[in-house]
Amino acid sequence: MVNTGEINGSSNFMDFLDEPIPDVGTYEDFHTIDWLREKSRDTDRHRKITSKSKESVWEFIKGLLDAWSGWIVMLLIGLLAGTLAGVIDLAVDWMTDLKEGICLNGFWYSHEQCCWTSDETTFDDRNKCPQWQKWSELMIDKSEGASAYILNYFLYTMWALTFAFLAVSLVRVFAPYACGSGIPEIKTILSGFIIRGYLGKWTLLIKTVTLVLVVSSGLSLGKEGPSVHVACCCGNLFSSLLSKYSKNEGKRREVLSAAAAVGVSVAFGAPIGGVLFSLEEVSYYFPLKTLWRSFFAALVAAFTLRSINPFGNSRLVLFYVEYHTPWYMAELFPFILLGVFGGLWGTLFIRCNIAWCRRRKTTSLGKYPVLEVIVVTAITAIIAYPNPYTRRSTSELISELFNDCGALESSQLCDYINDINMTRPVDDIPDRPAGPGVYTAMWQLALALVFKIIITIFTFGMKIPSGLFIPSIAVGAIAGRIVGVGVEQLAYHHHDWIIFRNWCRPGADCVTPGLYAMVGAAACLGGVTRMTVSLVVIMFELTGGLEYIVPLMAAAVTSKWVADAFGKEGIYEAHIHLNGYPFLDVKDEFTHRTLATDVMRPRRGEPPLSVLTQDNMTVEDVETLIKDTDYNGFPVVVSRDSERLIGFAQRRELIIAIKNARQRQDGVVSNSIVYFTEDPPELPANSPHPLKLRRILNLSPFTVTDHTPMETVVDIFRKLGLRQCLVTRSGRLLGIITKKDVLRHMAQMANQDPESIMFN
């Protein structure tokens, strides 16, 4: 490897490259992986295993274990993620109720669990039992009156502040990466970016604990986005146990893609929707075998969560519903209107939230994350408590908004004026005039809608775990329920209008307000995230009704069209660009007529390209070049005069090779010649031993000519996952284009700040 006689064998170099060396990994932090190199390494590994499996039975068994290791990892991810999701759901249920009261039979029981075993619970007051006491009943023995209300109000706010303070403190001290949704960073990581520690064990532990705290605090955020981050942490944990994944960043990302599907599977109880979410929204590279494994992992996770049964309803989510009334063609018009509302809400939210987050990053506001969380939590709790629809957990609110009003419902939303002569079955209650409770609920929901729209803008992006799915669904469900009740009452009082005459006769059950809430939820979530197919499947899996797919599709498509008219970026892409991550979105179009020569470096007036020559640089020259520059790699040419390209050497591998050669090989000193050819150069007799580094040289770097259209170059970077490509003319090196150069050029062409791309 080092001398002319190939001391220790040149193949040994790759062996010591794979050994764990302190503080040195395959890629540096905040850098992009080389997808082609990772794919090639895995192919070589697989070829080696296949050839060895023919030598003995033991090697054959090892080959089988290697082939099945991927399925075993999927099984473990599904089991752990499903278990964590169940624990989170149970803990959130208990801690949310803790803000209002406590169970005398055992403080660890939630309100619902406390009243399950009570013999004194009546049907009309099934949420009240002697074993459950509000804080005012426990402390001052009063459940009504001004003093009881003020005490409950105060303790509700104090509990919320305590939970939020604990959460932000834990994140700040133990795991700064546990904040936020996690999906923008997961998308960036899956595209090939390295963020060390983002999927680590501490992040997993702290994100799980703080997710319970922040959801229980009543802040306008959800656990669905962070559930994807938690599942990906599980995936990273198990993939690090096998060298097949731990030593290959490309293979690791196949596991993480499947883990993202698991996260959505347990968050919504939608295994198929989770797989499609990973495929449509998160993953960058999604081969067919990853699709199968994602499906298996999502299935295991959903089964595990179902076994835990956190909600006690044999369902995977709190807001599972079933409707009994078909929808009619005339209802497509309000469904499409809800789609328009969802698109407008999505656009408003993205612009306002990004503006607020940019202000947080560029002003002194960002220096006080704990204070910001405390202030927002205080405002949320103080405003939320007086309104019963914002006081309860957002999941419970969505559940009530989605529900159809049956004969057994006691909700204020179901306070209709009944016909005493009604003898219809329970599931076929006709449309009825709204009672005073419904009108009161409409005002309270309208206020809740305004509150949710405003407060979510300031909540998402704080230094705590914060998902966006549930707040978006809540906004859409509130708007949808209001529209649904309006259409229902319009159809009841004006059933002779031409639009109602054909399908809504007097005494018929025509309109289901809960369905409008479902459609509105899909529209708003689609407007914010720009999901379509996976969104419809997730919402369909929530309802279990095939016949409502068309309304959901109409709303989702309309929402995306309206939102795309104001900007193509969803909330996750917007946060990726805000943070300056090098994410090359496959959805972005590049139509400008520029050439590779316009983008490559060096440009006119810049110093010449830093290169290595094949056989006339010393170890000291190479070390000086590495020290004086911060480039990720260097082209290797025949000589500085000819500039004829030989290959490309990665910076990290040069550092590792020289460091290990100095430690392990005798005779390698600063003035040893470094050569990248098969045969050593002719040297004087008293020269020190030369250092051969041909094994780390990429002899087939990707090259384009200087007249290649940038549209083609962008496509190459997207589809091959390149870190860089070299620009040549007739075999002579002219320059280099990195992924960062491509992203900056695209930003410049879109009249954006090219310096916003901060990482390599």
Side-chain angles (χ1 to χ4, degrees):
M1 180 187 72
V2 178
N3 300 332
T4 58
E6 297 280 335
I7 296 175
N8 293 333
S10 62
S11 61
N12 289 346
F13 178 73
M14 291 311 293
D15 295 336
F16 84 70
L17 256 187
D18 287 338
E19 291 178 9
I21 301 171
D23 301 323
V24 176
T26 307
Y27 297 98
E28 293 182 33
D29 202 7
F30 297 112
H31 282 68
T32 305
I33 71 169
D34 189 333
W35 283 94
L36 289 177
R37 178 173 174 269
E38 298 302 299
K39 179 70 175 172
S40 175
R41 287 177 61 191
D42 184 62
T43 304
D44 291 342
R45 185 195 64 83
H46 193 265
R47 191 183 297 118
K48 185 178 178 182
I49 289 173
T50 305
S51 63
K52 277 190 172 184
S53 65
K54 300 173 184 176
E55 297 174 1
S56 66
V57 176
W58 173 240
E59 291 295 341
F60 179 74
I61 293 172
K62 284 170 66 177
L64 284 179
L65 290 173
D66 180 80
W68 278 92
S69 61
W71 295 100
I72 295 169
V73 167
M74 294 301 131
L75 176 67
L76 294 173
I77 293 169
L79 289 171
L80 181 57
T83 303
L84 288 176
V87 170
I88 288 170
D89 287 334
L90 289 169
V92 166
D93 194 26
W94 171 64
M95 293 180 70
T96 301
D97 290 340
L98 191 63
K99 292 187 297 182
E100 298 190 35
I102 195 167
C103 183
L104 299 181
N105 288 349
F107 71 90
W108 54 88
Y109 288 127
S110 67
H111 188 171
E112 188 177 8
Q113 291 167 340
C114 190
C115 294
W116 275 349
T117 55
S118 175
D119 297 328
E120 303 172 57
T121 306
T122 62
F123 181 78
D124 291 334
D125 290 327
R126 51 188 177 274
N127 288 328
K128 294 181 180 178
C129 60
Q131 288 82 0
W132 178 265
Q133 288 199 342
K134 292 184 177 180
W135 292 111
S136 60
E137 294 175 312
L138 191 67
M139 293 181 175
I140 59 175
D141 200 24
K142 286 185 180 179
S143 60
E144 305 292 337
S147 58
Y149 184 85
I150 290 170
L151 179 61
N152 288 329
Y153 199 159
F154 174 76
L155 287 174
Y156 177 92
T157 307
M158 285 298 101
W159 277 114
L161 289 171
T162 302
F163 294 157
F165 176 73
L166 278 174
V168 70
S169 301
L170 286 170
V171 168
R172 188 170 171 80
V173 174
F174 294 106
Y177 281 150
C179 67
S181 162
I183 292 181
E185 286 76 14
I186 297 296
K187 286 189 71 165
T188 310
I189 288 170
L190 290 180
S191 75
F193 194 53
I194 301 284
I195 308 179
R196 301 208 183 281
Y198 197 81
L199 302 176
K201 300 179 189 70
W202 271 109
T203 306
L204 171 62
L205 176 63
I206 298 301
K207 187 119 187 177
T208 304
V209 173
T210 54
L211 187 54
V212 173
L213 290 167
V214 295
V215 174
S216 304
S217 71
L219 284 165
S220 183
L221 44 79
K223 61 182 174 60
E224 280 64 22
S227 294
V228 175
H229 188 183
V230 168
C232 285
C233 288
C234 297
N236 189 63
L237 175 68
F238 290 120
S239 63
S240 64
L241 302 178
L242 298 171
S243 61
K244 175 181 178 179
Y245 298 109
S246 63
K247 293 183 178 180
N248 191 300
E249 294 292 346
K251 293 293 290 180
R252 187 197 296 264
R253 275 150 184 74
E254 292 181 19
V255 174
L256 297 181
S257 290
V262 170
V264 175
S265 172
V266 295
F268 285 108
I272 301 173
V275 174
L276 290 174
F277 172 81
S278 180
L279 176 61
E280 178 185 3
E281 186 65 24
V282 181
S283 295
Y284 194 84
Y285 173 63
F286 204 83
L288 192 59
K289 66 178 177 182
T290 302
L291 180 69
W292 300 334
R293 290 177 178 177
S294 301
F295 186 77
F296 173 68
L299 171 68
V300 172
F303 175 77
T304 305
L305 184 60
R306 171 66 181 79
S307 302
I308 295 172
N309 194 17
F311 302 111
N313 59 0
S314 300
R315 303 293 184 186
L316 296 178
V317 286
L318 184 60
F319 37 84
Y320 183 93
V321 287
E322 288 180 349
Y323 301 128
H324 306 282
T325 308
W327 64 277
Y328 300 91
M329 286 300 294
E331 290 182 286
L332 271 179
F333 180 68
F335 292 155
I336 289 171
L337 282 182
L338 285 172
V340 173
F341 170 78
L344 293 174
W345 142 252
T347 302
L348 171 72
F349 175 81
I350 291 170
R351 292 192 176 181
C352 293
N353 180 253
I354 291 298
W356 178 251
C357 289
R358 185 173 286 114
R359 182 177 180 83
R360 183 189 291 127
K361 287 172 75 77
T362 56
T363 64
S364 58
L365 180 67
K367 298 177 183 177
Y368 308 102
V370 177
L371 181 62
E372 182 189 10
V373 170
I374 294 298
V375 169
V376 172
T377 305
I379 293 170
T380 303
I382 290 167
I383 297 176
Y385 188 83
N387 189 334
Y389 291 107
T390 51
R391 184 191 312 171
R392 68 187 65 182
S393 76
T394 313
S395 293
E396 289 177 357
L397 169 63
I398 294 168
S399 179
E400 184 169 340
L401 293 170
F402 281 4
N403 267 339
D404 195 7
C405 282
L408 306 180
E409 293 293 334
S410 59
S411 166
Q412 197 177 26
L413 280 168
C414 297
D415 183 25
Y416 290 92
I417 299 172
N418 290 312
D419 182 357
I420 57 174
N421 297 319
M422 184 184 72
T423 57
R424 288 177 174 271
V426 169
D427 289 340
D428 192 22
I429 298 174
D431 288 349
R432 300 157 289 170
V438 175
Y439 289 113
T440 303
M442 288 301 100
W443 279 109
Q444 291 173 339
L445 284 175
L447 293 172
L449 178 63
V450 175
F451 170 66
K452 288 281 185 187
I453 285 175
I454 294 172
I455 202 67
T456 307
I457 290 169
F458 298 99
T459 305
F460 187 70
M462 292 195 301
K463 296 300 179 185
I464 49 174
S466 53
L468 190 58
F469 280 35
I470 286 293
S472 300
I473 288 174
V475 167
I478 293 171
R481 188 77 187 207
I482 292 171
V483 171
V485 171
V487 173
E488 179 190 49
Q489 294 305 301
L490 198 64
Y492 177 82
H493 292 290
H494 303 284
H495 54 79
D496 55 339
W497 285 9
I498 190 168
I499 57 171
F500 301 122
R501 193 182 303 158
N502 294 331
W503 59 277
C504 195
R505 298 180 304 278
D509 183 13
C510 308
V511 180
T512 306
L515 174 60
Y516 284 76
M518 175 75 69
V519 171
C524 283
L525 186 54
V528 171
T529 62
R530 309 298 162 84
M531 290 156 49
T532 50
V533 180
S534 56
L535 170 65
V536 171
V537 173
I538 287 170
M539 302 307 285
F540 151 65
E541 288 188 85
L542 288 180
T543 59
L546 274 168
E547 59 185 306
Y548 303 112
I549 282 185
V550 173
L552 292 171
M553 289 175 69
V557 169
T558 306
S559 171
K560 181 170 173 56
W561 281 345
V562 171
D564 281 351
F566 295 95
K568 298 288 185 183
E569 281 186 341
I571 185 65
Y572 301 130
E573 290 80 14
H575 273 271
I576 285 170
H577 290 155
L578 177 69
N579 293 325
Y581 297 138
F583 181 72
L584 196 54
D585 197 344
V586 293
K587 300 170 191 170
D588 288 343
E589 296 179 3
F590 187 86
T591 56
H592 302 281
R593 299 176 64 84
T594 51
L595 302 175
T597 189
D598 301 322
V599 181
M600 73 176 192
R601 291 182 297 164
R603 299 187 180 94
R604 288 181 182 175
E606 291 184 352
L609 193 64
S610 298
V611 297
L612 300 171
T613 55
Q614 68 175 3
D615 58 6
N616 61 3
M617 292 181 73
T618 64
V619 170
E620 186 178 16
D621 293 336
V622 175
E623 289 179 327
T624 302
L625 181 64
I626 292 171
K627 182 181 177 181
D628 293 345
T629 62
D630 58 357
Y631 304 129
N632 291 328
F634 304 94
V636 179
V637 295
V638 174
S639 67
R640 296 187 185 277
D641 296 329
S642 72
E643 292 285 341
R644 191 160 63 84
L645 183 65
I646 298 296
F648 192 83
Q650 298 284 353
R651 175 195 188 92
R652 173 57 61 92
E653 294 183 3
L654 283 168
I655 294 171
I656 293 173
I658 293 172
K659 178 181 178 181
N660 279 263
R662 283 184 179 277
Q663 291 174 352
R664 299 185 183 188
Q665 306 298 332
D666 295 330
V668 175
V669 292
S670 294
N671 59 342
S672 295
I673 293 292
V674 174
Y675 67 100
F676 296 91
T677 55
E678 280 290 352
D679 301 317
E682 294 184 6
L683 299 172
N686 59 349
S687 298
H689 281 215
L691 174 60
K692 182 177 181 178
L693 296 182
R694 187 173 179 82
R695 289 289 293 176
I696 69 166
L697 182 64
N698 179 4
L699 293 169
S700 56
F702 207 94
T703 60
V704 295
T705 68
D706 53 335
H707 284 89
T708 305
M710 274 307 295
E711 185 178 1
T712 305
V713 174
V714 170
D715 223 24
I716 290 170
F717 269 87
R718 275 194 192 125
K719 292 179 178 176
L720 296 181
L722 300 181
R723 293 180 88 188
Q724 70 279 315
C725 75
L726 302 173
V727 183
T728 62
R729 182 192 293 167
S730 304
R732 184 173 176 272
L733 180 67
L734 295 181
I736 186 171
I737 299 176
T738 65
K739 188 175 182 180
K740 191 174 182 179
D741 295 326
V742 172
L743 287 164
R744 284 184 166 177
H745 181 67
M746 291 176 71
Q748 195 171 7
M749 292 293 101
N751 296 319
Q752 297 171 357
D753 180 17
E755 297 304 317
S756 63
I757 311 298
M758 294 183 288
F759 301 107
N760 293 313

